[in-house]
Amino acid sequence: MRFIRAEDYTLDRSLRGQPLISPLTRWRAAQLSLGAGLVWLLTLAPRAAGFGVVAAERTAMLAWMGTMLAAGAFVVPLTCLIHELWHHAAAPGGIRSDRNVMLLKWGWLPVAAAHEAWVSRNRQLIIHLMPIAAMTALCLIAASFVSSAHRLYVALFWELNLLLSVGDLIVAWRIVRLEPEARLCGTLVRGSGTGSAA
């Protein structure tokens, strides 16, 4: 696996094909994810106070603020990294494959996983759905072992991963609509005659 800054990465010409989703669809997926993130943030405040009256839980609220600062510095980048590693784990060759590329934004935040090879439609479907399936199972198991004080972090991991998976779910829906013999490289379909997700 290689780590490359997103702005420095260019896909090999031999791997270019028909886009599976348009730039407009990508923008709508980002808007949907941001909207869901805003709703999620607004629901965190009453949860932090134990579903009680926030004003009466000043101590809990101050402790929660510290938790949120830690979450911003630690949970968000770590969740992004684990999410992208699950994509690589499902790709041919696994995490250690030289064809796997991790794209970094600002030099430190993992924002995308690229597998530089054509794979079958069904394999690409597994690659896109792996993070949501694996992180859901992992968080359910972790929640049963950690103390109640640390369950907020487990919930944060799962919820952030769910927000990151909005784009993956849209792409997976488009992949399902392709013909079975279609081959894909990320969100590119090989050849114009293999099928259409439009």
Side-chain angles (χ1 to χ4, degrees), residues 72-147:
F74 174 70
V75 175
V76 173
L78 185 61
T79 305
C80 290
L81 177 64
I82 294 172
H83 177 96
E84 301 306 335
L85 286 175
W86 279 117
H87 282 307
H88 286 318
I95 293 174
R96 297 183 353 174
S97 172
D98 289 338
R99 292 185 177 272
N100 286 332
V101 178
M102 184 80 73
L103 303 182
L104 306 173
K105 194 75 176 170
W106 307 302
W108 59 272
L109 181 67
V111 293
H115 181 70
E116 297 181 315
W118 293 104
V119 297
S120 68
R121 181 196 72 165
N122 292 342
R123 187 59 177 261
Q124 195 64 240
L125 195 59
I126 292 169
I127 291 170
H128 278 88
L129 293 177
M130 180 61 89
I132 193 168
M135 287 286 274
T136 298
L138 193 66
C139 289
L140 283 171
I141 293 168
S144 65
F145 287 104
V146 300
S147 66

Side-chain angles (χ1 to χ4, degrees), residues 9 28 30-31 33 37-38 48 53 59 61 66 71 94 107-108 117 129 134 139 142 145-147 174 181 185 188 196:
Y9 180 70
R28 286 184 182 152
Q31 286 178 318
S33 192
L38 184 60
V53 179
T59 305
M61 201 59 176
W108 59 272
L129 293 177
C139 289
F145 287 104
V146 300
S147 66
R174 305 283 283 199
E181 64 271 14
C185 179
L188 298 174
S196 173

